[in-house]
């Protein structure tokens, strides 16, 4: 539990104390997607200072903390903090967070009720971050959602085309396709 708290405190740092760099991070995300070469060096806004947070996540399989909205373990209003995925991106930068998210990405959770019951007992699933859960967190930051969906499209296209139980994409995937297309038109 102490590692959970440590990760929560790091995410709180990313959420609370790095908010001034969030607009720059969002603009860099759009530039990365649109292949603008002139400012891609800005992708690592946070530098290497918090890279160890990714090691903490992987070593102790704490990815499930990224799915919890209240990661700070403190009674704060949810409106004052960023979602955990946004806080992680602010801590470690776009390229490292992107690689980490692609490594931990899993298909959308179509059996949310069944998985909610087995979430506490199934430790092998702790290292997976469902595509739709990440997209839901990034929905409040459309530029980061645009960047993330582009990462999925280019680095994990299997999330868009392989569906083990049906030949028709699930509704969540179809909605993400619509969102990606809309964001592509916007940016």
């Amino acid at each position: 539990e102490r590692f959970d708290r440590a990760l929560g405190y790091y995410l709180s740092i990313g959420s609370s104390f790095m908010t001034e760099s969030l607009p720059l991070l969002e603009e860099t995300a759009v530039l990365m997607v649109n292949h603008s070469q002139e400012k891609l060096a800005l992708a690592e806004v946070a530098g290497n200072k918090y890279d160890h947070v990714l090691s903490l996540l992987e070593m102790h399989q704490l990815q499930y903390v990224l799915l919890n909205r209240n990661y700070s373990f403190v009674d704060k209003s949810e409106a004052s903090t960023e979602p955990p995925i946004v806080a992680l991106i602010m801590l470690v930068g776009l390229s490292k967070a992107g690689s980490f998210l692609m490594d931990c990405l899993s298909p959308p959770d179509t059996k949310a009720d069944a998985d909610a019951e087995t979430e506490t007992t199934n430790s092998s699933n702790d290292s997976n971050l469902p595509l739709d859960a990440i997209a839901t967190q990034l929905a409040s930051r459309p530029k980061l959602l645009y960047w993330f969906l582009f990462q999925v499209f280019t680095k994990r296209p299997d999330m868009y085309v392989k569906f083990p139980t049906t030949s028709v994409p699930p509704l969540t995937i179809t909605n993400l396709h619509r969102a990606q297309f809309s964001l592509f038109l916007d940016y």
Side-chain angles (χ1 to χ4, degrees):
E1 183 180 321
R2 64 181 169 197
F3 295 115
D4 297 8
R5 287 189 178 270
L7 177 59
Y9 293 137
Y10 280 121
L11 293 174
S12 295
I13 289 170
S15 177
S16 301
F17 301 112
M18 296 184 170
T19 54
E20 66 275 353
S21 64
L22 186 58
L24 178 61
L25 186 75
E26 289 178 321
E27 290 303 319
T28 304
V30 172
L31 289 173
M32 287 179 77
V33 173
N34 294 337
H35 301 292
S36 177
Q37 298 297 322
E38 62 226 22
K39 294 186 180 180
L40 287 184
L42 297 174
E44 297 303 319
V45 174
N48 295 334
K49 190 174 183 179
Y50 292 102
D51 286 352
H52 63 281
V53 174
L54 293 176
S55 299
L56 178 71
L57 273 161
E58 292 172 345
M59 186 180 302
H60 299 286
Q61 295 184 346
L62 298 174
Q63 288 85 344
Y64 66 91
V65 174
L66 296 175
L67 300 175
N68 297 331
R69 177 67 181 164
N70 186 17
Y71 53 83
S72 63
F73 304 103
V74 180
D75 293 332
K76 289 183 179 179
S77 71
E78 290 189 11
S80 66
T81 59
E82 292 292 338
I85 299 293
V86 174
L88 179 69
I89 293 169
M90 289 176 17
L91 275 176
V92 300
L94 288 166
S95 62
K96 290 179 184 166
S99 296
F100 172 77
L101 291 173
M102 293 305 108
D103 289 343
C104 296
L105 197 63
S106 66
D109 195 4
T110 56
K111 300 176 274 183
D113 296 332
D115 286 347
E117 295 172 7
T118 60
E119 183 177 331
T120 57
T121 60
N122 188 1
S123 62
S124 66
N125 207 16
D126 287 346
S127 63
N128 295 331
L129 296 172
L131 172 63
D132 56 332
I134 297 172
T136 300
Q137 286 190 31
L138 294 176
S140 64
R141 299 287 178 188
K143 292 178 181 178
L144 291 179
L145 179 61
Y146 176 54
W147 165 81
F148 172 71
L149 291 175
F150 183 76
Q151 296 295 309
V152 173
F153 182 72
T154 57
K155 295 181 180 169
R156 294 291 305 271
D158 56 307
M159 293 290 164
Y160 276 162
V161 294
K162 285 189 181 176
F163 310 107
T165 59
T166 181
S167 61
V168 177
L171 183 61
T172 54
I173 294 292
T174 305
N175 290 339
L176 290 175
H177 282 217
R178 287 185 188 121
Q180 184 177 10
F181 182 72
S182 175
L183 291 168
F184 178 76
L185 293 175
D186 290 344
Y187 301 116

